[in-house]
Amino acid sequence: QVQLVESGGGGVQAGGSLRLSCAASGRTFSSYAVAWFRQTPGKEREFVAAVSGSGSSKYYADSLKVRFSISRDNAKNMVYLQMNSLTPEDAAVYYCASRRTYTTRNQEDYDYWGQGTLVTVSS
């Protein structure tokens, strides 16, 4: 069982940066892939980025890979999402999710979810 808690959301002006954090419980966290998804009202939840359990493999939505960066610190049971050059289109609730073994881009594959953290971007 893994419990996830996101933090770091908030309001930022367009062009600014935020770093989201995902704190995980569990003693075998390094065995779990972690992904970030985001959702805005009326839209499907979309994949943002994912990182393998070891941190050696990272995957991004094509449209975000230049501005967003995912990382993890297994010693601290933490995963981070650094978001730069934010635009109003990045405003959403951001969720971290986890699953054992390999990463995927499909939300249906993830077993554990945090409650989400809200990011707002003003123009």
Side-chain angles (χ1 to χ4, degrees), residues 58-77:
K58 301 176 182 181
Y59 306 90
Y60 297 92
D62 288 342
S63 62
L64 301 175
K65 59 186 176 183
V66 172
R67 299 186 294 116
F68 287 19
S69 177
I70 191 170
S71 61
R72 68 189 294 161
D73 183 341
N74 286 338
K76 297 181 179 178
N77 278 18

